[in-house]
Amino acid sequence: MKDARTAATIEVVFRGSFVALVLAGVTFARAAGSEAPQAQPAAPQAPAAAPPASMTPSGPAVLVDRIAAVVGDEIVLESEVRKLVAVGFLERNPDESGAAYRDRVLDERIVDLLRERQLRRSSGFEPKPEEVEARVAALEERLAKERGIPAAAALAAAGATREELAEWVKRGLALDSFVKERLAPGLKVTEADLRAYYDSTFLEAARKHRLAEVSPFEDVREEIRDVVRELKLNAEIARWTAQLRAETRILIYRR
């Protein structure tokens, strides 16, 4: 029964997903780096970012910005984190506090930088303009719905522009493509993997939904193959991300 097969499979797909850009709740494998932020050595206070060289001291010092984190030789400015938080670039988890959300946004940006270091060594990946525009429009729609005001007004209140939003989306799509291109070719899905998934997770989901009829293994083999392959890719992304963290000095400053 197709409805039963689809319901069980879809439930498992969503529960098994590990990463997402979360631009509209429908994107694949990003974050893969969205694991809980690692404990890092913390400085007593975030240092101020250096002002432009063109600014010459002529009065009291003015705080221009603060450094939120240092990743290798790259820095994440607090102003960028504030903008990402203000526009809700990542969808907020249920009951997630403001501080926890801010820390998750910062951790995603750290993971981005770790991957960007690897991306720069390759030929790069350029997302299609229409795909970028579609993701930006989806994010604007969610932002307007959450804030109850037009997206342009919400962006202005956050001190961000639509161009910045498009650049963030473009960066995320490029990193998604890079990660999948780098890790997916080496993945192997065996018949034993498919059968094990069917006998455990698939049938468990069918029982949970109290489906009157459960599709036999042969009828859902290819659907299960897609799910198992995604789960293996997510696990490999998590392993690779942990390796990048271990190889890079990361310093997170307290606010």
Side-chain angles (χ1 to χ4, degrees), residues 85-129:
V85 168
V87 303
F89 192 71
L90 297 181
E91 198 164 10
R92 193 182 291 261
N93 294 327
D95 302 320
E96 187 174 29
S97 69
Y101 179 67
R102 181 264 179 196
D103 289 346
R104 184 161 63 89
V105 168
L106 173 58
D107 190 65
E108 285 286 341
R109 186 66 191 107
I110 289 171
V111 171
D112 280 351
L113 284 174
L114 290 171
R115 293 175 182 167
E116 285 169 12
R117 289 156 62 96
Q118 302 297 314
L119 176 60
R120 286 194 292 267
R121 300 173 185 174
S122 69
S123 57
F125 296 85
E126 189 71 17
K128 295 179 180 179

Side-chain angles (χ1 to χ4, degrees), residues 18-21 28-35 71 108-122 171-172 174-176 178-180 182-183 233-234 236-242 244-245 248:
F18 178 73
V19 292
L21 272 174
F28 173 73
R30 168 141 188 216
S34 288
E35 57 196 11
V71 183
E108 285 286 341
R109 186 66 191 107
I110 289 171
V111 171
D112 280 351
L113 284 174
L114 290 171
R115 293 175 182 167
E116 285 169 12
R117 289 156 62 96
Q118 302 297 314
L119 176 60
R120 286 194 292 267
R121 300 173 185 174
S122 69
R171 179 180 67 200
L175 289 172
D176 282 350
F178 168 66
V179 169
K180 286 185 281 188
R182 178 187 178 100
L183 301 178
L233 176 59
N234 289 334
E236 183 60 19
I237 289 172
R239 183 203 62 77
W240 180 58
T241 301
L244 293 179
R245 285 183 182 275
T248 308

Side-chain angles (χ1 to χ4, degrees), residues 3-15 201-214:
D3 289 344
R5 176 171 73 246
T6 302
T9 303
I10 288 178
E11 195 273 348
V12 174
V13 170
F14 279 116
R15 187 172 59 190
T201 311
F202 187 89
L203 293 182
E204 180 184 339
R207 286 192 294 270
K208 180 179 178 181
H209 285 281
R210 298 181 180 179
L211 299 177
E213 183 180 344
V214 180

